[in-house]
Amino acid sequence: MRIDELQLKGFGKWQDAEFHFAPGINLFYAPNEAGKSTLLQGIFAALYGMKRDYVKTTRYLPEYEKYRPWHQGEYETIVTYQLAGKTYRLHRSLLKEREQARLFLDPEWTELTDVYQEDRRKERNFVEKHLGLGRSLFADVTWIRREPLTAGEHLMPALKTETEEANPMIHKILGELDREVSTIGKKERAENTLLGKASTLVAQKEQELRHAESVSHEVGRLSRQIADWEMERVRQEQQRQRLLQGREHWAKKDEEWQKRWQLSYTAPDEQQWVWWENSAQSQEERSLHQGTRQALSRLQTTMQDELSVNLSNSVQIKQRSELEHIQQDYEQGVRLRRHWEEAHMELARQAAVSRLSIGREARQSSGGAAWPWAIAVVLAGLGCISFLFDQAGSGGIALALAFIAAGYGWWMKSKSKAPRKATDDARSEEWQNIQQEISQLDEKLGMLLRKWQVTDWDAFLERKEELHHQLRSHESERLTSELAKKEEESTLLQEWGRKVRTCLAREKEAWESERTNWQTELSRSEERLQEIREQIAKANGQMEAHEGVFVAQARSEYEDAVMSLEQLQVRREALKLARDMLQEALEEWNRDVSPAVNQHASMVMDKISAGVYREVRLDPREGFAVRVLEPARKQILEQEQCSTGTQDQLTFAQRLALLQHVSQQTEPLPLFLDDHFVHYDQDRLERALMYLLELGEQHQIFLFTCVEREQLFLAKWLRAHDRHAIHQLA
């Protein structure tokens, strides 16, 4: 057997981990807590699951909870192994609530799961069927550890000797007999044995026979009951149809009532008053409609009469006419006053312009002629002074020049008077036109004021406001009267609506109980009809369930089951007799340990101890306990009496001897060592490792260690050969 690949989807600390193994020695070197032991347990769990063997019911190993996934992943493994020239792929889900095992044949992935039957523990035991070794035996033989064998009493049938050729066949037959007897079972109440299943089948067939007999009576009873229910269903259907016809009546009546209720909040017109009187459900309601309608008619007539009186009032007509005329004259007066104001503003503007022109001309004239007169005055003054100081010549000249300057100034003044006169004439003409327009506007405003017999414009405005006030007073009185009539009309309509709704409420209360009775009767009819239909359907379903049940067939099957049970019991007794006879013969053989097993154990111990210990014996009556001959004193020592290192070496020899002999019946089995060499000295360690190198040519070996000794010694051989591999665990 060779394990090629292991996938741990979730197992202890490992999650989605994948390992590939070499066919020879696989050395795993890692410190403590790196997951070496978890990986080893994962290999065994992938091959055999986590249930205990050699028990009748499902019980899990103590390690089940210990190796649950740490990361809340799936408790799942996948292992690929080769056996007898075939490659198998075994999937396992280890969770109790979803436990499942499926076996496939590589490379086609043909599923072989259903080829293997489940045992009493709900296990299919794929590897056990392949090797003939259960989990406990496989661990005893392949896992080298200082613990005693856990299934030593079951190991002997798996061994054979070279000196007695009959023993292997006897053990094989005895194993087959045991399996056959176990398969048949000892008690009829066991659920997973053939005897228990046959007994269960007899009880089941007996119950089916009784059931078939009762079914015949039940079918007849149901047929009669279905016929009665069908007749009642027809009657209920007819009654339901009659009741359903009333649904339209009540829906129409409720719709009409809702319409009348909503219309009671709106004022009816003439056509709606007729509808209200025709749809009245009582004389009281009809009288209410007629009385309200008449009161509204009288009120409307009164309002029309008052309106006619108001319209025919001559005073109001005259006031409206005067107001219209005074409004027209007011608008005309506003226009005249606006023109009057504009004319006065123009007149003021002309005056301002005239004053500005005169000032400018004066400045021009004074600026243009002032200097000649000033020179004349100065010269005249000089002449006078000259005459006073008796300078007549100078004085005459000065006076002559003064007269010349005065003449020149008089000439310049006369020259500027001509254009100023033309400008003054134009301004005077425009001034007269504006004055004439103002006079005309004053005349028109005076005529307008005299027309309304007022002295000024403010009095005219007071007259206009007085007419407005009188007309508004009359209009206010008229509107107040109309509003009072409207309020009276609204009060009449509100009172009418309230009374109508009171009548409608009494009306609905009167027929609501009648409709409730109708609904109750309809619901009761529909419930009864549904109940009858369900009873008929249930009865038909019961009859369909009883189809194919025949009393004669059930009786025949019951008799066949009883006969099969009797035959199985006879077969079990025969197998037990044959097994007991072979067991007696085998017990004689078991008193002596197979010489080949002892010889192989002695050979292994001789190699490891370099000839110090050469004789080793295994006692099958005490769980293959190991004893060794101490060469110096020739004493037989129990394993516990030796040193710790020697005890480990004796265990090593014991398991290798058993491994070799079991492998002869199947094929080379793998070997597992988990920190086994801790107590070996260096010499014995090297000899043990050299022996493992020889053994690795035929067997697959898994060597787990947390120290470097094994790696340092084996590295040169393992790296030089493709058959071996060194694995580093993260």
Side-chain angles (χ1 to χ4, degrees):
M1 180 183 184
R2 189 180 77 194
I3 302 172
D4 293 334
E5 180 182 339
L6 176 66
Q7 298 180 38
L8 299 178
K9 300 293 185 181
F11 194 88
K13 69 172 291 182
W14 297 108
Q15 182 181 21
D16 294 328
E18 186 172 342
F19 303 93
H20 298 272
F21 306 120
I25 297 178
N26 292 271
L27 176 61
F28 295 86
Y29 166 66
N32 291 327
E33 307 298 332
K36 302 187 301 298
S37 298
T38 303
L39 174 58
L40 178 57
Q41 291 285 354
I43 295 174
F44 278 83
L47 293 173
Y48 284 95
M50 296 292 284
K51 293 179 181 178
R52 295 176 58 183
D53 50 4
Y54 301 115
V55 292
K56 297 180 180 180
T57 58
T58 300
R59 293 187 181 178
Y60 288 85
L61 295 168
E63 295 85 1
Y64 179 84
E65 295 296 334
K66 177 180 178 181
Y67 292 107
R68 274 183 175 272
W70 293 3
H71 307 285
Q72 302 299 324
E74 292 293 332
Y75 204 176
E76 185 178 346
T77 64
I78 302 175
V79 63
T80 303
Y81 62 92
Q82 294 187 27
L83 189 65
K86 297 180 180 179
T87 302
Y88 299 93
R89 185 179 180 86
L90 178 55
H91 293 235
R92 284 189 184 275
S93 177
L94 300 173
L95 283 176
K96 295 179 182 179
E97 56 272 17
R98 295 197 302 270
E99 188 172 24
Q100 186 183 30
R102 301 177 65 189
L103 183 67
F104 299 87
L105 184 64
D106 277 352
E108 298 84 3
W109 291 352
T110 304
E111 186 166 3
L112 306 176
T113 306
D114 294 335
V115 176
Y116 301 84
Q117 294 183 351
E118 291 184 347
D119 62 8
R120 290 174 293 181
R121 301 174 301 145
K122 304 296 183 181
E123 279 287 332
R124 296 187 183 272
N125 302 321
F126 304 112
V127 180
E128 183 175 351
K129 296 294 184 183
H130 294 161
L131 299 176
L133 301 174
R135 179 190 177 97
S136 299
L137 281 178
F138 184 79
D140 284 344
V141 172
T142 62
W143 190 348
I144 299 181
R145 49 188 174 175
R146 202 196 297 173
E147 300 176 5
L149 300 178
T150 59
E153 68 276 13
H154 301 284
L155 183 58
M156 200 62 194
L159 302 176
K160 71 176 183 177
T161 64
E162 299 176 357
T163 57
E164 299 185 28
E165 297 180 357
N167 281 344
M169 185 59 67
I170 292 174
H171 290 305
K172 188 173 182 180
I173 293 173
L174 186 59
E176 290 295 332
L177 290 174
D178 282 333
R179 278 191 288 272
E180 286 291 333
V181 172
S182 299
T183 303
I184 294 174
K186 298 179 180 179
K187 299 179 181 180
E188 296 182 359
R189 295 183 180 180
E191 297 180 357
N192 297 323
T193 62
L194 294 178
L195 188 62
K197 292 178 181 179
S199 299
T200 303
L201 182 61
V202 169
Q204 177 184 347
K205 294 303 179 182
E206 183 179 4
Q207 186 177 1
E208 290 178 0
L209 176 59
R210 293 175 182 174
H211 176 67
E213 292 173 347
S214 64
V215 163
S216 179
H217 297 90
E218 182 69 14
V219 169
R221 184 186 67 80
L222 290 173
S223 299
R224 293 189 297 271
Q225 200 166 21
I226 288 174
D228 296 338
W229 285 334
E230 282 290 343
M231 294 176 63
E232 185 178 359
R233 185 186 64 79
V234 172
R235 291 195 300 270
Q236 289 293 335
E237 285 282 1
Q238 294 173 352
Q239 182 181 0
R240 179 175 175 274
Q241 291 300 324
R242 289 195 299 270
L243 291 171
L244 286 176
Q245 292 174 359
R247 177 175 293 174
E248 183 177 355
H249 164 73
W250 288 112
K252 184 177 180 181
K253 192 167 185 176
D254 188 69
E255 181 182 358
E256 183 179 353
W257 186 90
Q258 292 289 344
K259 178 181 178 181
R260 295 171 67 201
W261 182 275
Q262 293 175 0
L263 289 176
S264 68
Y265 288 95
T266 59
D269 55 17
E270 191 63 28
Q271 186 177 1
Q272 288 176 336
W273 277 119
V274 175
W275 177 84
W276 274 110
E277 293 177 7
N278 293 335
S279 62
Q281 300 296 317
S282 63
Q283 184 60 37
E284 178 186 2
E285 183 184 351
R286 188 174 291 105
S287 300
L288 173 63
H289 300 326
Q290 292 173 352
T292 305
R293 184 181 181 185
Q294 292 172 2
L296 289 173
S297 179
R298 288 193 298 271
L299 186 61
Q300 195 72 23
T301 302
T302 303
M303 292 175 63
Q304 291 177 357
D305 292 343
E306 290 180 356
L307 180 61
S308 299
V309 170
N310 290 331
L311 292 175
S312 62
N313 193 328
S314 60
V315 175
Q316 293 184 8
I317 293 173
K318 183 179 179 180
Q319 288 177 347
R320 288 192 184 90
S321 177
E322 285 185 4
L323 185 62
E324 290 177 358
H325 285 92
I326 200 172
Q327 181 67 27
Q328 293 174 359
D329 290 345
Y330 169 75
E331 293 174 357
Q332 183 182 0
V334 169
R335 289 194 298 272
L336 290 174
R337 284 178 62 83
R338 186 169 60 251
H339 292 162
W340 184 84
E341 290 174 356
E342 290 175 356
H344 274 276
M345 290 178 65
E346 181 63 22
L347 187 63
R349 188 183 65 81
Q350 290 292 337
V353 171
S354 178
R355 286 193 297 270
L356 290 174
S357 298
I358 292 172
R360 187 169 55 250
E361 290 174 358
R363 287 191 300 272
Q364 289 177 355
S365 62
S366 62
W371 64 272
W373 290 101
I375 294 173
V377 171
V378 171
L379 290 174
L382 291 174
C384 291
I385 294 171
S386 298
F387 281 112
L388 290 176
F389 288 98
D390 295 330
Q391 294 180 0
S394 301
I397 295 172
L399 290 174
L401 292 173
F403 281 115
I404 293 172
Y408 180 76
W410 182 261
W411 178 80
M412 288 184 64
K413 183 177 180 181
S414 62
K415 184 179 179 181
S416 63
K417 286 182 178 179
R420 185 174 64 188
K421 183 179 181 181
T423 303
D424 291 342
D425 293 340
R427 286 197 190 99
S428 177
E429 184 179 359
E430 186 175 358
W431 181 275
Q432 291 176 0
N433 292 335
I434 294 173
Q435 289 286 349
Q436 186 177 358
E437 183 180 0
I438 290 173
S439 298
Q440 292 176 356
L441 291 173
D442 288 339
E443 181 65 23
K444 289 181 181 180
L445 284 172
M447 292 175 63
L448 189 148
L449 295 175
R450 287 191 297 273
K451 176 181 177 181
W452 292 100
Q453 299 178 0
V454 294
T455 58
D456 54 20
W457 181 254
D458 292 336
F460 176 78
L461 293 178
E462 290 178 359
R463 175 64 175 165
K464 177 176 174 292
E465 287 299 322
E466 182 182 357
L467 288 175
H468 267 291
H469 178 70
Q470 292 176 357
L471 188 60
R472 282 197 298 268
S473 298
H474 289 296
E475 287 293 330
S476 176
E477 292 175 359
R478 184 182 63 81
L479 291 175
T480 302
S481 177
E482 289 181 0
L483 182 60
K485 295 297 187 296
K486 290 290 184 182
E487 289 179 353
E488 185 178 356
E489 180 181 354
S490 176
T491 303
L492 282 173
L493 288 173
Q494 290 178 359
E495 183 66 18
W496 167 81
R498 185 184 64 78
K499 292 181 178 180
V500 167
R501 288 190 289 275
T502 302
C503 293
L504 289 174
R506 288 199 300 268
E507 176 188 336
K508 185 173 183 180
E509 185 179 357
W511 53 261
E512 190 67 32
S513 60
E514 184 180 351
R515 185 170 69 172
T516 302
N517 295 334
W518 168 80
Q519 290 176 341
T520 302
E521 188 176 358
L522 178 60
S523 298
R524 188 182 299 113
S525 176
E526 289 180 343
E527 289 175 0
R528 178 55 185 161
L529 186 59
Q530 181 64 25
E531 182 181 353
I532 293 172
R533 289 171 178 167
E534 290 177 356
Q535 289 174 340
I536 293 175
K538 182 178 179 181
N540 285 326
Q542 291 175 349
M543 292 183 66
E544 290 178 0
H546 295 326
E547 288 183 359
V549 178
F550 304 103
V551 176
Q553 180 181 354
R555 183 175 289 108
S556 176
E557 291 177 355
Y558 169 70
E559 293 174 353
D560 292 342
V562 171
M563 184 179 298
S564 298
L565 178 60
E566 293 175 351
Q567 291 176 353
L568 199 60
Q569 291 172 339
V570 172
R571 183 184 175 191
R572 182 191 62 178
E573 295 301 325
L575 290 172
K576 287 174 64 177
L577 180 60
R579 184 196 62 184
D580 293 341
M581 293 177 66
L582 285 174
Q583 188 68 36
E584 291 178 3
L586 184 61
E587 288 177 357
E588 293 294 329
W589 180 83
N590 282 341
R591 292 189 182 97
D592 297 323
V593 177
S594 171
V597 174
N598 293 331
Q599 180 181 357
H600 195 91
S602 300
M603 181 269 295
V604 173
M605 194 63 189
D606 183 28
K607 282 189 175 184
I608 294 176
S609 64
V612 175
Y613 299 101
R614 297 182 177 179
E615 296 293 334
V616 178
R617 297 291 185 270
L618 279 62
D619 190 350
R621 293 169 297 183
E622 298 182 11
F624 289 89
V626 184
R627 298 182 180 88
V628 63
L629 181 64
E630 198 275 321
R633 295 176 296 171
K634 300 298 182 180
Q635 290 184 350
I636 298 175
L637 301 177
E638 299 291 339
Q639 186 176 9
E640 293 77 11
Q641 296 175 319
C642 301
S643 65
T644 302
T646 303
Q647 291 182 36
D648 290 345
Q649 294 150 23
L650 289 172
T651 300
F652 185 76
Q654 173 203 40
R655 302 300 170 88
L656 287 181
L658 296 176
L659 176 72
Q660 289 287 353
H661 283 270
V662 172
S663 298
Q664 291 176 7
Q665 284 209 1
T666 56
E667 60 179 60
L669 297 177
L671 182 63
F672 302 93
L673 301 98
D674 187 12
D675 284 329
H676 174 72
F677 299 109
V678 174
H679 301 105
Y680 282 43
D681 58 37
Q682 187 64 29
D683 292 336
R684 295 192 180 186
L685 172 65
E686 293 179 359
R687 287 191 288 270
L689 294 177
M690 290 302 297
Y691 183 70
L692 284 181
L693 285 172
E694 297 177 9
L695 201 62
E697 297 298 323
Q698 297 295 327
H699 295 264
Q700 188 178 31
I701 299 174
F702 294 83
L703 176 56
F704 298 88
T705 179
C706 63
V707 296
E708 295 183 350
R709 293 195 305 166
E710 292 91 329
Q711 182 181 7
L712 293 175
F713 182 79
L714 291 174
K716 57 183 178 180
W717 282 285
L718 299 185
R719 292 195 175 97
H721 204 298
D722 293 339
R723 183 174 176 80
H724 311 301
I726 298 177
H727 304 270
Q728 295 290 339
L729 296 182

